[in-house]
Amino acid sequence: MHRDTPQHIITLDGKIITGYQVASGQGNRCPYPQGSIRPQLPIFKERGLDLCHCYPGTLNIDISPWSFQLIKPDHTFRNVNWYQDIIEDFSFAACGIYIDNSRHDVWIYYPHPDTKPDHQQASTTIEILAPYLPAARYGQQVQLEIAESVILANKLT
């Protein structure tokens, strides 16, 4: 982890990893016909966050040996009933991602673990919502730029 003190930005090195593929609906055991992101986007827009420009799936970034806590998100939506009887809380934080030396504005997508029914992420995995990024591929090294006030990163021992 590197700190850029004048701008109060944290840069976390990470790697794109395979997730459950439930967000995109591409997983073999995805219980949602369109994935989980597609039906959530209109609800987030109604509540004030338009993510319609984002690909309806997430990039999973492994930041180990660091773990993270989202401490001051830009948006938090409670009691989002997005599929049948599934009601979850979600938080979002704006950040940047560098892929192949190109920076993109993206969002941390954080379904609150205490309301998420399954497919829990490790504390070392940050899920990102982004426009379609053709350069992104599994195993690729990336850097995330996040405001220091938004995230608490802890090095695992």
Side-chain angles (χ1 to χ4, degrees):
M1 178 174 78
H2 315 284
R3 292 187 188 267
D4 183 351
T5 307
Q7 295 182 28
H8 303 287
I9 298 293
I10 295 173
T11 302
L12 292 170
D13 295 323
K15 179 174 66 170
I16 299 174
I17 60 171
T18 306
Y20 297 105
Q21 298 183 321
V22 170
S24 66
Q26 296 176 3
N28 292 334
R29 295 183 177 187
C30 181
Y32 316 114
Q34 298 181 330
S36 61
I37 299 297
R38 198 175 304 274
Q40 293 170 4
L41 293 179
I43 299 168
F44 300 147
K45 185 176 181 179
E46 287 173 10
R47 295 188 181 200
L49 180 60
D50 187 355
L51 299 167
C52 293
H53 66 285
C54 291
Y55 178 80
T58 59
L59 282 178
N60 293 278
I61 311 299
D62 177 11
I63 60 166
S64 57
W66 297 89
S67 67
F68 83 100
Q69 292 177 306
L70 198 57
I71 55 173
K72 190 177 176 190
D74 296 303
H75 301 273
T76 297
F77 304 125
R78 305 242 179 244
N79 300 312
V80 176
N81 183 200
W82 64 270
Y83 184 77
Q84 295 178 359
D85 60 348
I86 296 177
I87 300 172
E88 293 182 71
D89 297 342
F90 296 88
S91 290
F92 299 87
C95 66
I97 189 170
Y98 281 91
I99 297 178
D100 290 341
N101 297 316
S102 182
R103 187 183 186 285
H104 306 274
D105 292 327
V106 298
W107 291 90
I108 293 173
Y109 167 80
Y110 186 76
H112 292 219
D114 56 327
T115 63
K116 191 173 181 180
D118 50 20
H119 304 106
Q120 299 293 332
Q121 297 292 347
S123 65
T124 57
T125 300
I126 297 178
E127 287 186 273
I128 300 294
L129 283 176
Y132 178 70
L133 301 173
R137 62 190 181 280
Y138 295 130
Q140 183 174 28
Q141 297 296 315
V142 298
Q143 292 79 40
L144 295 175
E145 286 186 340
I146 307 166
E148 188 174 37
S149 62
V150 168
I151 195 169
L152 178 62
N154 296 301
K155 191 163 190 177
L156 300 173
T157 54

